[in-house]
Amino acid sequence: SGGEPLPADSEEAMEAIKEDPKAFARAPAELLQDRGFLLEVVRECFEAMAFAPPEVRGDRDFILEAAQEDAGILAHASTALRGNRGFILELAEVESLALEHASEELRGDREIVMAAVETNGESLAHASAELKADREVVARAIADDGA
């Protein structure tokens, strides 16, 4: 059954995805536009997100919402999103893993790193070498860790 599309029925499709996470790549368009179904995939069969189509990986609102369920979703976000300053900044304010999955350039962005270490001091581990040496950034990270 390697190449046949998944059924349009969300329950049948979910069963197929649980059986074979790679099947998610063959989900019909109507299911890929169903936010509830996509969030269920995140909850029920997270590893399937590795096979999500590009339109799902690049959907800013979906990735933000899914990050509330499982921050690991950021590893599967599109390169464009992981390099989008506004997206990462918004995420850094609520999700401690934002910096871990941000582009190299954004790991060196002082405002983003400050927001991330305020959320979780351990985020400092994912900052650029330059910002790891910045006294104010380190102080903010330590202040969070003690909170």
Side-chain angles (χ1 to χ4, degrees):
S1 73
E4 62 192 54
L6 289 183
D9 177 81
S10 62
E11 287 179 30
E12 289 178 36
M14 184 57 72
E15 287 309 310
I17 291 168
K18 285 181 186 174
E19 217 172 274
D20 176 13
K22 291 179 183 160
F24 188 39
R26 301 190 317 272
E30 57 265 33
L31 287 181
L32 295 177
Q33 291 161 11
D34 178 340
R35 184 66 47 90
F37 175 76
L38 295 175
L39 290 170
E40 188 181 347
V41 172
V42 171
R43 283 190 295 271
E44 302 288 326
C45 189
F46 183 79
E47 61 272 22
M49 292 312 297
F51 307 100
E55 62 268 25
V56 172
R57 293 168 174 251
D59 181 333
R60 176 189 178 113
D61 294 336
F62 166 67
I63 298 292
L64 282 172
E65 193 173 342
Q68 307 301 313
E69 297 283 339
D70 190 328
I73 190 74
L74 299 172
H76 302 300
S78 69
T79 305
L81 275 182
R82 289 185 298 180
N84 180 301
R85 188 176 190 284
F87 173 76
I88 295 294
L89 185 57
E90 186 176 346
L91 207 53
E93 292 171 0
V94 294
E95 179 44 63
S96 62
L97 286 180
L99 205 55
E100 182 179 347
H101 298 289
S103 68
E104 207 57 48
E105 180 186 346
L106 294 180
R107 290 177 188 209
D109 183 304
R110 196 166 199 285
E111 185 182 3
I112 287 174
V113 171
M114 289 295 266
V117 299
E118 265 182 33
T119 303
N120 182 339
E122 293 177 15
S123 293
L124 185 61
H126 304 290
S128 68
E130 181 186 338
L131 290 177
K132 283 179 184 172
D134 182 306
R135 294 173 83 107
E136 190 183 346
V137 173
V138 172
R140 181 88 45 100
I142 292 169
D144 169 76
D145 247 17

